[in-house]
Every structure is written in structure tokens, then in C-alpha cells.
Amino acid sequence: MTQAAMSSALLAVIDAVAGADGDDDRVRAALERLDLEPGAAAAVLDRLLGARRELGRLRRREHELTALFASARELAEVHDTGTLLDRLVDRAHTMMGCDVTYLSEFDSRSRTLRVRTTKGSVSPLFQQLEVPPGAGLAGAVVESRAAHWVADYTRYAAERHDAGVDDAVAAEGLVSILGVPMLSGADVLGVLFVANRQEMAFTQEAIALLSALADHASVVLQTAQRIRELQRSDDEARSALERLTAHLGERDRANTVHQDLLRAVLAGGGFGPVARTLGAALGRRVVVIDERDRPIADSEPSGELTLGAVTRGALDAARTSGRCVLVDDDGLSAVASMTAGARYFGAALLGVGTFELTPVDRRTVERAMQVGALLALQREAVAEAESRIRAELVADLVDGDPERRADGERRARRLGVGVAGLDTVLLFTVTGAGRGALVRAAQQQLPGALVGERRGAVVALVPSDTDAEGVRARLAGAVGEPVGCVRPPGVDSVAGLAAAVATATRTARLLSALGIAGTTEHTDDYLPYSAVLDTDPRSLREFLDATIGAVRAYDAERGTELLTTLRAFVRHNASPTRTARALNFHPNTILQRLDRLDRVLGTTWRNEERLFRISLAVRLDELAARVDPHINSGDQWAEHP
């Protein structure tokens, strides 16, 4: 063979081996041109084909590395998780040359695998597949955290089959499947799969390549997970910051309110500043009511607030618990009570504002009500001190001792009280339980008067033009029980006050003995009875029973009117004729009734001494009946033992 022919044959062999088309016949044909011995030709051919296969493997490896480097660059450049996973699956599909490539994400809580992205899939059932724990090839990959493949899925282990998974695989027509895990340390993030629609085996190189791509997918999922965690942490931090900012705002608001309230109390401004300060801080109307539900302060006077059943229930709960109670009732949002121990002084009614009351805001309201209770106690203490001073002053002025009376006048001048204009006495009576409340109410109703408690009654020194009945009615409404009032004639000087109080006291005792209560009476109407009679109730009852009790009993037994005849007989100076004329009866009728009275009272009842006693009893009986018509009942005196 010539040199030229030898060179041409060698070049043909080299081109055949280095060719990218993978045609081994070209290698054999080129080798035959070298005209080698058969044994040497076979050895050379074997070496050349091996070199060709290795060259092909290196080219594939170069291609794979190029693809992996491109994937790595995308990891650094692309930040959208979905886009990255789609590109990874697409690249794996191209590099592996399989029919279907898909990625399933692992849920660590439910331990299920859900298909997230696919390439080459045509079945919606497969694209939405969710593999339960331990099922299918995917279950084996998750449990072992290693690659698994099967040449024919229908012949896979029976215990791994699941009806839902089998239906999805059959719908896609898959036969051979390879799956590799996507890991983060010991945690499974998902599984990357490739599959063919005909039976085939997967080489170690294919497994290694898919595993490398799965590692890239793991980085994507880990990054997405970290981003989600960072986002969640950021959201939590923002939320915590917002809560902290709101809490600090609430605390600042609460501190401001507390300081403003203390200044208001120290300045002696009353409940008005409490309502206005609280209303301004909480952005809503605040109404303060007293223990009788009467408004005493309003931050925004804009009409009355009605207390419905829901609000009253909330007030009871607030009074019991001492807490600010939320309520939704006719424009109200919350209520809180002013209490000190067992004492209840009133409450605050809060309208609807621009924001919901937080727990700190409710504590602010509660502290405001504590300040309100302190204010009420302070005012009560001042009022009690003033009440004691005025009661002592009243006691001095109505005392019969000239020296003590003069001292009382000097003290009144120092207090700026004009005693000269207080020329009338009003004596009020009530049951013992309500006497303290009556004193306080009288001081409020009679601001220019002197009021004090004296010997079980409440004495008020007032100007002569005071409406006694109007004052008595208002006091009865304030204390919630009947109040009696006795008014003696006015006096010319302070010296006459003692006698006026004594007269009023005797009259009040007489009224009590007669069972008369809750009216305004003048002492002149009860003279001379209050002066001459013992006004002990039992003694008075015994006197009336002893004198006219038998007549009452006779009338009650027989339905007669002997007591009416006796009253007329006394009124007309014991004259039968004038009595008959007054009652429009014939004189003989009156005489017959007088005879019956003789049988009831005894024949001596018209003697001078007995008639005087009977006349006094009859006039007392008539006087009581005029004030209270029910006193005509025969049981009247039994009701007042």
C-alpha cells in the first residue's frame, strides 16, 4: 500500500471514530482499508469502538454538565419559584429523553405527595394526582430517601399499589418510572420523576443525572421555603410592631387620662372634668350618672341617654365585678360603675366611638371610675363635715340658753350665714333608716338654709316664703319614702326659734301618735291638743279607747252611726236641737240616739268632766279623720300600738 493510500485510510478511520453520528460500520469499513491481518484487525476494531463509546459518553457528559451549569445560573438569576421548577422539569425532560417528566411536592404534615408541575403529560387526572403516604413508587422514595425505578409499574410490589395512583398512571399510559428524592438534610421536600410509555431500564448515569437535577430542585424548594419563612417572620414582626405601637399608644392614652383626672380631682372640678377627660381620650360621649341613675355630668350634652334592659343588666354586672362591661344597646358601647367597697356611687355610660375599646382602654375606664369614687367620697366627707357644723349651729340657735344662742349667732356670722333671714322652722320626719339621707337631701334642696338633725327629726331654718309642701314632696322623692313636715308660725327673732322648734316637735309627736305621716301640717291646727295631751302612742290609744271606744264598737257591731251623732252633739255645744238641725233629723231621732249613747257610755257621760274628756277625744278623732279619711275605720288605733 502506498504512503498516500495509508494516510487516506488512517484519516478515514480517525473520522469514523470521531464522528458524532455513532455509525460503527464506518469504523469497520475504514479499518478494512488498512489491510491488516485478521487477528490484529479484530483487536484494533475493539479498541476503536471502545474509544468511540467513551468519546460519546464524554460528549453526553459535557452536554449534561453544560445543562447543569445553565440550571445553576438560573438558580442565581431567576427568583420566581414556579418558573424555576418549570424550567428544571423541562430541562430534565429534554436531557433524559423520556416521555413524561414531573415533580411532586411533599407535605410533611399530611405526608402526601402532590404533583406540582409536569412535562409531556396529557392526562388531567395525572396532573392533579396526590399520592397518599406509603403508596406507589413515590412512597418508597420518600421512605428510603433514595432513588427507585421500575421497568413495568404493573409488576411493582402489590402492597405499594393504590387505586387512585394506578388509575392516574394508567390514564397517562406510563410503564417504566424513575424517581429520585429532593432532600434538605434528612427532610424530604419532594420527588422528581421521569417515565416512559414503554418498558425500559434506567442506567446509573440516568439516575445520577436526574439526582443532580433533583438537587437543583431541592435548592429551589428550600429557597422558596426560606422565603416563605422569612416572609412569615417579617409579617409576624410587623404585626408585633403594630401591636406594640398600639399598646404603647393605649398606655400613653391611659397615663394621660390618669394624670388629667388626678389634676381635675385636685382642682375640685367635680364629675364634669372626669366625663370630658375620659370622653376626649376615648373619642366618644361619656355620661356619668349617680346611684339613682340621674345624669350628673356629660362630656357631650346631646340629648338624653335611655337605660334599656340590656344596659341595666350590664350595670348590675359592672357593679358586681368592678369591671368595665362592653354593651351594645341603643348607642352605648360600655358601662363601668363607681364603687368603694360595698358603696355604690353611680356609673359611667360610654357611647360608640371611632375605635373599639381595647383591654387597656377598659382598664383606663375602670381607673377613671376609681378616681370618680374617690371624688364622691371626698365630696361626701366634705358634705358630712359641713353637715355636722350646720347641725351644731342649728342646735345652738334653737337652744333655750341665751348664751349658747348668742354663740351660735357669732359662728353663723363667721360662716357667712345670714341668720336674720331664717325666720321660719320646718321640721321633717321620716323613719330612722332614711334620716341621714333626708338630711343630705334637705341640704341639697335648701342651699340657703340651715339644716340639722335634732331629737330624731330634721330641723331646717328657712325664709318665711319657702314652699313647705313643695320642699316636702321633693324630699320624699329624693329619699324614696314618705316624709312628714310640720310648720310652726314664723318668728320675729332668733330667740323665738327655740319655742317654734318645741311646738313643732310636740305636734310631730302628736301626728305620729295619730298615725298621720307624709303630709305638711301647721302647728296651729293641732293646738291645744299638742300642748295638753301625752303624745305617747300607747297612752293616746288608751285614752281614745276609754272615752269613745265603746261607741266605735257599737257602730261596728250594729251598723249604726252613733259616733257621727256624738261628733255633731259635741260640735253644737251639747244641744239636741242644733244637733238635729245639723244632721237633718227630727229632734226625737236625736233624743233616741242620745238614749242609746246613755246605754253605751253610761248615764253620766253628759256630766261636765266626762263630757270634756269625750269632747277632746271626739275632736282628736275628727282631726285625724280630716287628714286621713281611713282613720274612720274602727281598726285605726289598733294599727298604732
Side-chain angles (χ1 to χ4, degrees):
M1 178 179 293
T2 65
Q3 188 71 29
M6 178 68 73
S7 297
S8 176
L10 286 174
L11 289 174
V13 170
I14 292 171
D15 289 340
V17 172
D21 55 5
D23 188 355
D24 291 346
D25 290 337
R26 287 184 62 195
V27 177
R28 290 188 181 91
L31 187 60
E32 288 175 358
R33 292 172 61 185
L34 291 175
D35 195 19
L36 297 176
E37 293 181 1
V44 171
L45 178 62
D46 186 57
R47 291 285 187 91
L48 289 175
L49 291 179
R52 178 177 176 77
R53 286 192 294 273
E54 179 64 18
L55 184 59
R57 187 186 68 78
L58 291 174
R59 283 174 176 167
R60 288 195 303 274
R61 185 61 177 168
E62 179 186 10
H63 177 66
E64 292 169 359
L65 290 173
T66 301
L68 289 174
F69 288 144
S71 176
R73 284 195 300 270
E74 289 177 351
L75 289 178
E77 295 172 357
V78 181
H79 301 292
D80 181 74
T81 302
T83 301
L84 276 173
L85 292 177
D86 288 343
R87 289 187 183 180
L88 277 168
V89 170
D90 187 61
R91 184 166 285 111
H93 186 70
T94 302
M95 293 172 63
M96 298 294 294
C98 294
D99 296 328
V100 177
T101 305
Y102 60 99
L103 185 148
S104 294
E105 191 170 3
F106 183 65
D107 188 335
S108 59
R109 287 175 296 182
S110 63
R111 303 195 65 78
T112 59
L113 279 162
R114 181 179 59 81
V115 173
R116 174 161 180 169
T117 182
T118 65
K119 182 68 175 180
S121 173
V122 294
S123 170
L125 180 63
F126 185 82
Q127 293 164 8
Q128 299 171 5
L129 175 63
E130 185 171 311
V131 180
L137 184 70
V141 174
V142 170
E143 291 171 4
S144 66
R145 288 163 174 74
H148 282 258
W149 64 274
V150 59
D152 186 352
Y153 186 73
T154 59
R155 295 197 297 271
Y156 194 55
E159 66 273 11
R160 291 289 186 182
H161 280 272
D162 175 81
V165 176
D166 290 349
D167 290 343
V169 170
E172 195 63 58
L174 302 181
V175 177
S176 58
I177 305 173
L178 166 62
V180 295
M182 296 183 294
L183 301 174
S184 173
D187 298 328
V188 178
L189 302 177
V191 179
L192 182 60
F193 293 95
V194 291
N196 285 304
R197 294 188 174 93
Q198 67 276 346
E199 184 175 342
M200 68 167 289
F202 293 94
T203 66
Q204 291 300 318
E205 290 181 351
I207 295 172
L209 176 59
L210 191 61
S211 296
L213 291 169
D215 290 341
H216 284 194
S218 298
V219 172
V220 174
L221 290 177
Q222 288 180 68
T223 303
Q225 186 177 29
R226 297 295 181 270
I227 291 174
R228 286 196 298 269
E229 291 174 355
L230 288 173
Q231 184 63 48
R232 184 166 57 250
S233 298
D234 182 62
D235 292 342
E236 291 175 354
R238 289 179 184 276
S239 178
L241 179 61
E242 290 174 359
R243 290 195 301 270
L244 179 60
T245 302
H247 182 70
L248 290 176
E250 293 165 2
R251 294 294 298 271
D252 288 344
R253 185 164 61 240
N255 290 334
T256 301
V257 170
H258 195 61
Q259 291 172 6
D260 290 346
L261 289 175
L262 288 177
R263 282 195 292 267
V265 171
L266 293 175
F271 289 101
V274 173
R276 290 191 294 273
T277 299
L278 199 57
L282 301 179
R284 64 198 65 219
R285 182 184 180 189
V286 176
V287 179
V288 180
I289 60 175
D290 64 10
E291 65 274 14
R292 296 185 178 275
D293 297 341
R294 296 172 299 192
I296 55 177
D298 194 339
S299 64
E300 303 172 14
S302 55
E304 294 184 1
L305 280 176
T306 56
L307 303 183
V310 175
T311 300
R312 292 191 179 278
L315 280 172
D316 291 340
R319 182 175 179 178
T320 302
S321 66
R323 299 294 186 186
C324 176
V325 178
L326 298 179
V327 65
D328 183 9
D329 184 28
D330 196 19
L332 294 179
S333 63
V335 298
S337 65
M338 289 188 295
T339 56
R343 297 287 306 279
Y344 173 69
F345 299 104
L349 311 177
L350 282 72
V352 177
T354 56
F355 58 87
E356 296 293 329
L357 293 176
T358 66
V360 174
D361 291 328
R362 295 200 291 273
R363 299 296 87 77
T364 300
V365 176
E366 291 165 8
R367 284 197 294 270
M369 290 302 94
Q370 291 172 356
V371 172
L374 289 175
L375 179 60
L377 287 171
Q378 179 192 55
R379 299 179 77 176
E380 190 176 85
V382 171
E384 287 179 355
E386 184 177 347
S387 175
R388 285 195 299 272
I389 293 172
R390 288 179 171 265
E392 292 170 359
L393 187 57
V394 169
D396 289 343
L397 293 174
V398 301
D399 194 272
D401 186 349
E403 260 186 51
R404 188 174 176 187
R405 189 165 59 245
D407 182 61
E409 290 186 73
R410 285 192 296 272
R411 290 172 57 207
R413 284 194 294 272
R414 285 199 302 271
L415 293 173
V417 178
V419 178
L422 305 179
D423 56 358
T424 301
V425 172
L426 297 181
L427 188 141
F428 299 102
T429 58
V430 73
T431 59
R435 199 172 299 142
L438 180 60
V439 172
R440 292 191 293 272
Q443 289 171 343
Q444 293 175 356
Q445 293 290 333
L446 301 167
L450 283 175
V451 179
E453 188 176 347
R454 180 176 172 81
R455 296 178 182 175
V458 177
V459 174
L461 306 183
V462 300
S464 58
D465 58 354
T466 301
D467 178 13
E469 172 57 21
V471 172
R472 185 206 64 78
R474 291 194 296 274
L475 292 179
V479 300
E481 57 180 294
V483 173
C485 176
V486 177
R487 177 172 183 164
V491 298
D492 296 330
S493 65
V494 176
L497 291 174
V501 170
T503 301
T505 302
R506 286 196 302 271
T507 304
R509 287 203 299 268
L510 176 62
L511 293 172
S512 176
L514 292 173
I516 299 172
T519 61
T520 299
E521 304 295 336
H522 293 268
T523 57
D524 288 350
D525 294 337
Y526 293 86
L527 290 173
Y529 314 113
S530 61
V532 301
L533 284 175
D534 181 357
T535 51
D536 172 64
R538 185 177 298 278
S539 300
L540 183 60
R541 186 196 64 192
E542 292 174 353
F543 169 71
L544 292 172
D545 282 346
T547 50
I548 61 175
V551 180
R552 280 187 179 280
Y554 187 90
D555 283 347
E557 230 177 89
R558 294 171 174 77
T560 58
E561 296 184 353
L562 285 185
L563 184 57
T564 302
T565 303
L566 181 59
R567 287 175 176 174
F569 187 72
V570 169
R571 264 198 318 272
H572 294 90
N573 298 321
S575 168
T577 303
R578 293 173 63 186
T579 301
R581 190 180 304 119
L583 296 178
N584 292 320
F585 287 133
H586 193 276
N588 289 337
T589 302
I590 297 303
L591 291 174
Q592 291 173 4
R593 292 188 176 184
L594 292 176
D595 287 341
R596 281 199 292 275
L597 284 170
D598 286 344
R599 293 196 296 274
V600 172
L601 296 174
T603 56
T604 62
W605 71 273
R606 277 182 271 189
N607 291 347
E608 183 176 356
E609 177 60 26
R610 281 202 65 195
L611 185 59
F612 169 75
R613 291 173 177 270
I614 290 173
S615 298
L616 190 60
V618 166
R619 290 186 182 278
L620 275 174
D621 185 66
E622 274 193 303
L623 187 62
R626 188 177 72 242
V627 175
D628 184 358
H630 297 294
I631 288 180
N632 277 319
S633 166
D635 296 331
Q636 166 63 20
W637 306 115
E639 294 176 359
H640 300 278

